Amino acid sequence: MVCSFFFIGSSPSLSGSSSLSAMAEVQEKCLQITDNSEADQIAKGSNSMESSETITNQTRITHKANYKKWVKIFVYIIFLLLGQSVATLLGRLYFDKGGKSKWLGTLVQVAGFPIFLPYYIIRATKRRTNRNNISHTEQQPTLLKLALVYASLGLFLAADCYLFSIGLMYLPVSTYSLLSSSQLAFNAIFSFFLNSQKFTPSIINSLVVLTISSTLLVFQTESEGSAYNKASKAKYIIGFICTVAGSACYGLVLSLTQLFFNKLVKNESFKAIVDMIWFRSFFACLAIVVGLFVSGEWRGLKKEMNEFELGKVSYIMTVVWTAILWKVFTLGCVGLIFEVSSLFSNAVCVLGFPIVPVAAVFLFHDKMSGLKGVAMALAVWGFVSYVYQQYHDDFKSKKDPRSSL
């Protein structure tokens, strides 16, 4: 249109040849402008297509990463629920059939960490064959920092396991499991201060309900279950206090573990999870072995094995499988902390608690009293309230692409 206007507005006084020459130059410029405009449009279209393809590829990569993440989360949940339920029942079986050592009951909760040796061997073999592909750019915490963190967590874990061992020794397994659900409330409090956890109405409701659920069981002092469970009221109260204290300690350990992953660990890999389990358990194991020998309980272990109601082989298998299954539980627990949060990991623990009391009714003939049934219902309600909040957060993150799942 600019070219047409120029032709119309040109002076008629120009000579023929000059006019033709001018017109040719103008036409050439117009063609050049048109070509440039078309080139710009093509370039813009090409850039737009490339941008669209880049966004599509990024979306596919994100969806694939999220899919892998939730598959891992599902596997960790299975490990946690399976390990926790069966290990707790085996621990109760140990005390129910003649086991008397609190320190051995504590040791089996942490002593199974050597099962991860094959992982380290396989990883070391792969590392030797792929040395050129290893990145050394990631800044890792110093050896002294790691040692202090693992030692501190190990000592907390040793104290926690000892308290839980006393609780499992003096309480019916169903009561013990329901009391342990209070760890979610303690974990939420510690997460608020250590992990910047936000309190929402659903989470507050979950904490209140779980606290009421645990408190109800303090009134459950009548004799229950097998002959060994017929403990005095004093022993029941000791078991109650130790289980609640162990739950508080465990909530602290989970929050500190998440803090460690957030502040110190730079490489997001499975190795970070295994390292945490291995070294934390190693230091806890050292502390518990010292306690076992200082207390003198090690002297009675041989007699205990000989007098075990199910026989020597069953005694050894009970101890070994309890240790292994507690490490299966720990793998699921630490994995969920690494992938999501300590509070989510603890909420899944609480989900598994109702499984144990139901199984204990059939395996150890525990009474399912009305009070205990109410406590179990409240524990499930507390967990569902927390899951609702997790669903709500996940729904919001899907609506806002900038949010992470």
Side-chain angles (χ1 to χ4, degrees), residues 67-93:
Y67 173 77
K68 287 183 177 180
K69 174 183 176 180
W70 285 104
V71 167
K72 286 191 286 185
I73 289 173
F74 177 76
V75 172
Y76 288 141
I77 288 174
I78 297 299
F79 284 169
L80 188 154
L81 294 177
L82 177 66
Q84 175 183 255
S85 301
V86 182
T88 302
L89 291 170
L90 286 176
R92 180 66 249 174
L93 180 69

Side-chain angles (χ1 to χ4, degrees), residues 240-254:
F240 179 90
I241 293 172
C242 287
T243 304
V244 173
S247 298
C249 189
Y250 186 69
L252 177 61
V253 169
L254 291 182

Side-chain angles (χ1 to χ4, degrees), residues 108-130:
V108 294
Q109 297 180 53
V110 299
F113 65 91
I115 65 171
F116 294 105
L117 268 176
Y119 166 77
Y120 282 111
I121 294 171
I122 294 169
R123 190 174 184 278
T125 305
K126 288 183 177 180
R127 190 170 182 174
R128 281 197 297 269
T129 57
N130 300 298

